[in-house]
Amino acid sequence: MRSLGELHPLSVFCYFAGVMSVCMLSLHPALIILSLLGCLTLLLLHNQVKARTLAASLGLFTVLTLLNPLFYHDGITVLFVINDRPFTLEALLYGAAAAGMILSMVGWFRLLSRALTNDRLLYLLGRLSPRLALMVSMALRFVPAFARQGQRIHQAQQGLGLYRGDNAPDALRGRIREFSILTTWALENGIVTADSMAARGYGTGRRTSYAIFRFTRVDALFMLFSLALTAVTLTAILSSALKFDYYPALTPPADTLLARAGLCAYSVLCLLPALMEGGERIRWRCLQSRI
């Protein structure tokens, strides 16, 4: 079994669409915990979890959790009262669930950007809409290009002695001048790009593309398995088997067979890439030990 980044772009897109759609459609605490656990495990395998990032995530989780009971006072379990406004347990838990959903979505999107690189995204969108694929690829290219050009302009302004950051007015004027130069460069670069595409005959004939991706049996099995797990979980959510009510009182769903199936399916779906990559690493170490 290959890792997630080595699978076909269509299989990777179907997987992320399934796992993130379930996370967005339900605020069931168990589903949110499973989503956070899945993306955190995969981020740890990729060495993308740093102490600063973890601290910022915990701070954001705390802020988002406390914001909800400060503005919404529904619920029957009053913890304390501030200025005649009740601080309820239900609002606090709802804020924690919403914050967990937001953090898990940020983690999954981070993994998505790693698994679906620019060429893979261009391959997917190019089959549906070549113009949309072109716009997305140009946007993805121009964002880092603008950052690099802005850094060059800033260094050039400092080298010429035109930028002084010792006081606020001079720093503000310098930043405005740099932004004006960067905007002019962006407009000129757009004109040059359009002229270059017109000179090469873009849009005058049928557009062809070349792709190095092959849809193998492993890709088909992974995509079908992911879609089947997603379908089971969505069926449990849409049939209210995993409906968790926070207001006016905490009302967990009934313990039914469909609810258990949905939780089990989503747990396997969230941990599937981690199990794949963990198995690959264990297999690789076993092969190295035999040398």
Side-chain angles (χ1 to χ4, degrees):
M1 179 65 72
R2 294 172 290 175
S3 62
L4 188 62
E6 298 175 351
L7 293 174
H8 193 271
L10 182 59
S11 300
V12 176
F13 176 78
C14 290
Y15 171 78
F16 280 102
V19 71
M20 290 191 292
S21 61
V22 171
C23 184
M24 289 186 294
L25 289 175
S26 177
L27 284 178
H28 194 288
L31 294 179
I32 295 174
I33 293 174
L34 289 173
S35 180
L36 286 171
L37 182 62
C39 66
L40 182 60
T41 305
L42 202 55
L43 288 173
L44 287 173
L45 287 176
H46 293 164
N47 296 323
Q48 290 187 337
V49 179
K50 299 181 181 179
R52 182 182 302 177
T53 305
L54 187 60
S57 300
L58 291 176
L60 180 62
F61 177 81
T62 304
V63 171
L64 293 176
T65 301
L66 295 177
L67 278 178
N68 189 69
L70 290 177
F71 293 96
Y72 296 94
H73 312 289
D74 298 336
I76 61 175
T77 308
V78 179
L79 300 177
F80 52 87
V81 179
I82 301 178
N83 295 329
D84 296 331
R85 295 181 178 179
F87 194 95
T88 63
L89 176 63
E90 290 79 10
L92 181 65
L93 295 179
Y94 186 89
M101 182 189 68
I102 293 174
L103 289 180
S104 65
M105 291 302 298
V106 171
W108 285 118
F109 270 111
R110 186 175 179 182
L111 293 170
L112 177 63
S113 64
R114 180 183 177 90
L116 281 183
T117 55
N118 294 348
D119 55 338
R120 290 170 169 264
L121 188 61
L122 183 62
Y123 168 78
L124 286 177
L125 296 178
R127 299 299 179 91
L128 299 176
S129 175
R131 294 184 179 181
L132 179 61
L134 178 64
M135 291 176 60
V136 172
S137 62
M138 291 179 66
L140 294 175
R141 172 186 175 272
F142 282 144
V143 170
F146 286 164
R148 290 192 298 267
Q149 185 65 20
Q151 187 65 24
R152 296 193 193 101
I153 294 173
H154 180 70
Q155 294 174 356
Q157 293 289 307
Q158 287 182 330
L160 293 173
L162 300 177
Y163 180 82
R164 297 178 59 187
D166 51 354
N167 56 62
D170 290 339
L172 181 60
R173 283 193 292 267
R175 291 297 183 181
I176 293 175
R177 184 170 57 251
E178 292 176 6
F179 180 75
S180 176
I181 297 172
L182 181 62
T183 304
T184 304
W185 174 84
L187 295 175
E188 292 178 352
N189 192 33
I191 296 174
V192 172
T193 303
D195 292 340
S196 176
M197 293 173 63
R200 297 180 184 185
Y202 182 83
T204 58
R206 184 177 180 182
R207 183 174 179 270
T208 59
S209 61
Y210 172 75
I212 60 175
F213 308 107
R214 290 185 177 182
F215 195 78
T216 62
R217 182 182 301 176
V218 176
D219 300 316
L221 291 176
F222 178 80
M223 186 178 68
L224 292 177
F225 190 54
S226 301
L227 292 177
L229 294 174
T230 304
V232 173
T233 311
L234 289 178
T235 301
I237 293 175
L238 296 177
S239 62
S240 299
L242 291 176
K243 183 180 180 181
F244 194 97
D245 293 326
Y246 291 87
Y247 302 114
L250 297 177
T251 307
D255 188 12
T256 60
L257 181 61
L258 184 58
R260 293 183 181 181
L263 291 176
C264 293
Y266 193 61
S267 62
V268 175
L269 182 65
C270 291
L271 297 176
L272 184 60
L275 294 175
M276 289 169 49
E277 298 197 15
E280 282 291 322
R281 295 189 181 188
I282 294 174
R283 180 185 176 188
W284 175 249
R285 290 189 178 183
C286 291
L287 292 176
Q288 284 182 324
S289 64
R290 298 177 182 177
I291 298 177

